[in-house]
Amino acid sequence: MGKTSDENNKFYRLTLLEDSSHKKIRTIRFSKSGFVITIVTAFVIMSVLIFCLIAFTPIRTAIPGYPDARSKKQAVENAIKIDSLENIIIRWELYSENLSRVLAGDETVSLDSIVRSNNTKFIKNVSKEVIEKQDSLLRKQVEGKWKSAE
């Protein structure tokens, strides 16, 4: 029916013998559970060592798709270039709009109106009174600095 405690505690022996003289070189005793635990522990330790080797050394750059320091630096440089190019495009659009308005005999586009139209998404949650108060305080502060500079 069930296994007896004798069957659960069976030990096995692995013996290394010299072929010509049959002299014992090494003997290892183990049970089934001890053997399984040893194999699982060895597998876990090897997995952790391989992970640490890859994660904490320059070997990780050999992984396809993993960015190295050079590509990270290039991504930052590209982001800065894109931002400056966007600013240049906005300036050219303003210039061309003003040029076409001047040629048509219309009034030019004010820079303040463009700034206000582009920044409205950031100030929607602030009431108009608060914005006007902050604007008047800023104007007074700037006027005070101009007067003290003269």
Side-chain angles (χ1 to χ4, degrees), residues 42-57 59:
F43 179 75
V44 169
I45 289 173
M46 289 297 292
S47 299
V48 168
L49 288 175
I50 290 171
F51 172 78
C52 289
L53 181 71
I54 292 172
F56 302 118
T57 62
I59 294 174

Side-chain angles (χ1 to χ4, degrees), residues 115-126:
V115 170
R116 264 188 260 121
S117 67
N118 286 340
N119 289 335
T120 54
K121 61 184 173 189
F122 301 113
I123 58 174
K124 284 183 179 176
N125 296 334
V126 181

